[in-house]
Amino acid sequence: MGKQEDINELFKSSESDVYGEGLTPKQKRILEAAIQMFSEKGYSSSSTSEIAKRAEVAEGTIFRHYKTKKELLLAIVTPVMSNLLAPFIIRDLDKVLKKNYKSYEDFLIAIVKNRQEFIEKHISIVKILIQEIPFHDELRSQFIDRIGKEVYTRLEAIVSHFQAKGELVEMPTQTAIRLTASSIGGFLFARYILLPEHDWNDEEELKHTIHFIMNGMKAR
């Protein structure tokens, strides 16, 4: 799925929910151009003049709708994360989290493949979130409230289940989740953000990542 399709999928059928009366054609072009620019160059390196050029509008048109570049960023990320991305992530994760797995290893394989599919579909928005959340308190709070807490609760139940079965070593569930998430997150970050052009063997990397997690967490 290309970037334009990615953007359209996130906005289609929910514009009125996110933006009240919906977007004008020029607003939509501005937002699409800003998503592309922020994803490719980062927020700080993208200028409103470049966004205007890509959107094929005058730069003044941007400022008629959005007073500052920061307001433009928030106009993209806050409603998308709150109303589209958060429920979309939760709904997508539920395909994995609500299944019964024979082992924690089976669960890890399923969750990594699920997240890879999501990232590949929505790479531009994912890049913006990763790049900008650490630097904007508003975005960080939105992510924690809309996504982080909900996902954590589901993961906590899964880890506790496999600890109760005696499959995982006894440790605080938050520690088990942190160790699992940091290993998987590190792989996905390197794969799609840091070194996307590298010649990746996804199956081998997945196998090594899960082997690393299980060797550290598996009950002896």
Side-chain angles (χ1 to χ4, degrees), residues 78 81-83 85-87 89-90 140-151:
T78 300
M81 184 155 56
S82 300
N83 298 292
L85 201 57
I89 286 176
I90 299 303
R140 186 162 56 250
S141 296
Q142 284 278 336
F143 183 83
I144 292 171
D145 291 340
R146 303 287 182 170
I147 299 174
K149 292 178 181 177
E150 187 78 15
V151 172

Side-chain angles (χ1 to χ4, degrees), residues 102-114:
K102 292 182 179 179
S103 69
Y104 192 61
E105 185 171 349
D106 288 343
F107 163 71
L108 292 178
I109 292 171
I111 199 72
V112 173
K113 289 185 175 180
N114 174 272

Side-chain angles (χ1 to χ4, degrees), residues 2-47:
K3 279 183 182 175
Q4 191 66 37
E5 293 173 298
D6 159 26
I7 293 164
N8 285 340
E9 181 172 340
L10 284 171
F11 280 104
K12 73 180 179 183
S13 77
S14 296
E15 286 180 18
S16 59
D17 294 336
V18 178
Y19 295 101
E21 295 300 318
L23 300 169
T24 67
K26 283 187 178 180
Q27 277 181 293
K28 187 170 183 181
R29 292 209 307 273
I30 290 168
L31 290 171
E32 288 174 345
I35 289 171
Q36 292 166 2
M37 291 296 299
F38 293 159
S39 171
E40 292 168 9
K41 299 180 63 175
Y43 168 78
S44 61
S45 298
S46 300
S47 68

Side-chain angles (χ1 to χ4, degrees), residues 44-129:
S44 61
S45 298
S46 300
S47 68
T48 52
S49 61
E50 291 175 306
I51 294 169
K53 183 177 180 181
R54 184 170 293 199
E56 299 181 340
V57 300
E59 188 174 9
T61 302
I62 293 178
F63 293 114
R64 280 201 295 273
H65 294 290
Y66 311 100
K67 295 178 182 178
T68 63
K69 188 172 71 167
K70 176 70 173 285
E71 188 174 304
L72 177 56
L73 173 68
L74 295 177
I76 293 166
V77 179
T78 300
V80 168
M81 184 155 56
S82 300
N83 298 292
L84 298 178
L85 201 57
F88 191 63
I89 286 176
I90 299 303
R91 186 171 63 249
D92 198 46
L93 274 172
D94 274 348
K95 298 173 187 176
V96 175
L97 298 179
K98 287 187 175 179
K99 288 184 179 180
N100 293 320
Y101 294 94
K102 292 182 179 179
S103 69
Y104 192 61
E105 185 171 349
D106 288 343
F107 163 71
L108 292 178
I109 292 171
I111 199 72
V112 173
K113 289 185 175 180
N114 174 272
R115 293 301 79 199
Q116 283 190 280
E117 290 176 5
F118 181 85
I119 291 171
E120 288 168 4
K121 280 184 177 181
H122 306 288
I123 187 63
S124 58
I125 293 291
V126 169
K127 281 184 177 179
I128 293 172
L129 292 174

